[in-house]
Amino acid sequence: MKIRKTLITTCVILVYGQSAMGQSRIVVCDAFTKAPIPYTNVYKAEKGEYRGTATDEKGIATIDFSFQKLCISHVGYTQQTFTNTPDTVFLIPKENLLSEVVVSNAEPQWIRPFLKRFIENKKDKYRTATENFHYSYNTRNASDNSGYWFENSGIIRIPSSSTKTRFEIKPSKGYIHFKDSTAGCDFTNMKRMVYHDFVDEMDMKFIKHHKFQVNDAFNAEDKDVVQLYFKSIKYDKEDKGYINVDTAKCIILSVIRDTGIGYNIDNNTNGFTRTTFNILTGWKYSKWIVNQKITYSEINGVYYPSLCRYKAYILAESEKGKYAGRKFDSFESEIIFNQTNSQEETGFFDLAEPWYMKIIVSKKERLAEEQLQNIPKEYILY
């Protein structure tokens, strides 16, 4: 129950199950660290209608729509729902993602030689052979007035890092949550997660273009495991993150990387495509935040990805005709990989490499996407 005040009179509006009238403000925080969680999805999906918003950098969201159930969702946390508007929401992390960060200004002399040795030896320790894994994939796309999520599992063929072959999947039935049955299957973020593998892309250029420090507050049961903090020389905090390494085995165990608008525009789009889209729609990016996490697990002495998480928040603005206004898109996805005894060779579909903006799609890419859209699917309407 909310009270709306006007200059003329005060009315008490009682609507069963609807608790958000006018505007309400909530703060979303980590249940353990109490730190605010930025870019968390806050939405309702009911009776064929979706309305949503997202928290800002301070974890604050303004709700200007009524609801029966309010959902609070972030890929790194357990989702919560409410029938009333809470002042503060404490989300429980799916795992202890980061400890307190305590770093000194000096870069320890051992880090660069260690990382160089890692790069020299990674071909013998990561994805040395093509292997089949069972995957479980879920993704959620949210904007101001459109909400969609997709669940799928199946077999994925992870290629050897020494080959140039594409990832392939053999999907089972897909489950599409949407307001109607017009939406298709969305494997976009799956492509982004598997193709942008940190270990695969890490090279001498990465070492040259970043600074490194040790997080002295990080504690692991294995004393050989250390957490490194890195930050871009060019982009500063718009390209930063944490690498958990086993110093004895010279192994990267997991990575969390955060990138901001400058890095993402330079590395995920090209000038010609951006100019074309701007001419057509007037859209310009004002925010573009990406958070990626990947964990690697050992299988018979070789390391493969076991968990990938992807979170992106994009805010665009336009002053052009029908496109005028502000629009946000929030994406969050997760893939879990497990060993499988499957030696299947047939029935796999290509996963085309990912992109954010593209004007011309090749025939091969189009046919690959058509195969993915034609898998068995079931709609779960809200």
Side-chain angles (χ1 to χ4, degrees):
M1 182 175 68
K2 292 287 178 181
I3 300 176
R4 174 180 285 179
K5 295 181 179 179
T6 68
L7 294 175
I8 301 174
T9 186
T10 300
C11 299
V12 179
I13 303 175
L14 296 175
V15 180
Y16 174 75
Q18 295 185 335
S19 61
M21 295 294 176
Q23 288 191 345
S24 301
R25 196 187 84 151
I26 68 169
V27 181
V28 182
C29 299
D30 185 294
F32 297 122
T33 67
K34 311 305 179 189
I37 308 173
Y39 312 116
T40 301
N41 292 331
V42 181
Y43 66 94
K44 75 166 184 181
E46 56 198 30
K47 297 181 180 179
E49 181 185 10
Y50 179 95
R51 290 290 304 279
T53 184
T55 60
D56 61 15
E57 293 90 340
K58 298 179 180 179
I60 299 171
T62 300
I63 304 167
D64 60 358
F65 51 86
S66 62
F67 61 84
Q68 291 183 346
K69 286 187 178 180
L70 185 71
C71 300
I72 317 292
S73 171
H74 188 291
V75 68
Y77 295 82
T78 301
Q79 179 175 302
Q80 291 192 33
T81 59
F82 298 88
T83 55
N84 296 302
T85 307
D87 293 326
T88 305
V89 175
F90 293 99
L91 294 184
I92 300 173
K94 293 180 180 178
E95 57 187 323
N96 185 16
L97 296 178
L98 289 175
S99 60
E100 180 184 1
V101 179
V102 178
V103 297
S104 59
N105 291 326
E107 178 180 290
Q109 293 184 355
W110 64 267
I111 292 181
R112 290 180 186 271
F114 170 85
L115 294 175
K116 290 177 182 178
R117 183 158 54 94
F118 170 82
I119 291 171
E120 292 169 357
N121 297 326
K122 68 178 182 177
K123 65 180 182 299
D124 298 322
K125 297 181 179 180
Y126 288 82
R127 287 171 45 196
T128 60
T130 299
E131 294 284 353
N132 287 352
F133 287 83
H134 178 271
Y135 73 85
S136 177
Y137 167 65
N138 65 78
T139 188
R140 183 185 299 274
N141 301 346
S143 63
D144 307 73
N145 54 18
S146 179
Y148 163 100
W149 51 104
F150 175 63
E151 302 168 78
N152 180 248
S153 60
I155 305 297
I156 184 168
R157 182 174 291 155
I158 299 180
S160 164
S161 57
S162 62
T163 66
K164 297 298 181 182
T165 56
R166 291 180 173 179
F167 287 79
E168 297 175 304
I169 62 171
K170 187 174 183 178
S172 57
K173 180 189 285 188
Y175 296 87
I176 299 171
H177 302 250
F178 196 56
K179 63 182 180 180
D180 55 40
S181 57
T182 60
C185 304
D186 187 359
F187 290 93
T188 304
N189 291 329
M190 179 184 225
K191 299 172 187 178
R192 289 172 180 158
M193 287 186 280
V194 299
Y195 279 105
H196 292 306
D197 181 281
F198 184 86
V199 164
D200 194 43
E201 295 181 344
M202 187 178 185
D203 55 17
M204 297 303 295
K205 186 183 293 186
F206 180 88
I207 297 176
K208 180 181 179 181
H209 292 168
H210 290 81
K211 299 177 181 179
F212 302 91
Q213 297 163 293
V214 175
N215 179 10
D216 293 327
F218 178 79
N219 288 306
E221 292 183 8
D222 187 340
K223 297 304 179 183
D224 291 324
V225 176
V226 174
Q227 186 175 84
L228 305 181
Y229 171 75
F230 67 86
K231 183 171 67 173
S232 169
I233 296 171
K234 177 180 179 180
Y235 296 102
D236 195 52
K237 291 184 179 181
E238 287 197 352
D239 178 18
K240 63 183 178 66
Y242 306 85
I243 311 173
N244 289 359
V245 301
D246 187 318
T247 55
K249 296 179 180 179
C250 197
I251 290 296
I252 288 178
L253 300 170
S254 64
V255 181
I256 294 177
R257 189 175 190 178
D258 296 310
T259 53
I261 187 169
Y263 176 91
N264 291 320
I265 287 178
D266 289 350
N267 291 273
N268 293 322
T269 66
N270 64 69
F272 172 76
T273 306
R274 289 197 306 272
T275 301
T276 303
F277 272 85
N278 180 254
I279 291 172
L280 293 174
T281 66
W283 288 116
K284 292 183 179 180
Y285 295 115
S286 55
K287 286 184 183 178
W288 187 346
I289 309 297
V290 174
N291 172 270
Q292 291 178 281
K293 174 183 174 65
I294 183 166
T295 299
Y296 303 93
S297 295
E298 181 183 0
I299 300 174
N300 299 324
V302 180
Y303 288 82
Y304 290 88
S306 56
L307 170 69
C308 296
R309 289 200 183 114
Y310 175 86
K311 172 74 178 175
Y313 177 86
I314 300 174
L315 180 66
E317 299 177 283
S318 175
E319 298 178 354
K320 190 167 186 176
K322 66 179 182 179
Y323 298 103
R326 290 162 58 93
K327 178 180 183 297
F328 85 86
D329 287 289
S330 180
F331 310 93
E332 48 187 36
S333 306
E334 180 179 78
I335 310 177
I336 299 173
F337 303 94
N338 288 300
Q339 280 185 276
T340 178
N341 294 323
S342 170
Q343 301 299 321
E344 297 178 58
E345 297 291 335
T346 60
F348 284 84
F349 301 151
D350 276 353
L351 274 179
E353 294 196 25
W355 43 269
Y356 279 93
M357 286 182 171
K358 205 165 192 179
I359 298 173
I360 299 174
V361 178
S362 70
K363 181 179 179 180
K364 188 174 183 179
E365 289 174 320
R366 177 174 57 79
L367 292 175
E369 185 60 30
E370 287 177 0
Q371 284 186 313
L372 293 175
Q373 293 304 320
N374 288 332
I375 68 170
K377 47 187 171 285
E378 178 178 329
Y379 287 91
I380 302 171
L381 306 184
Y382 54 74

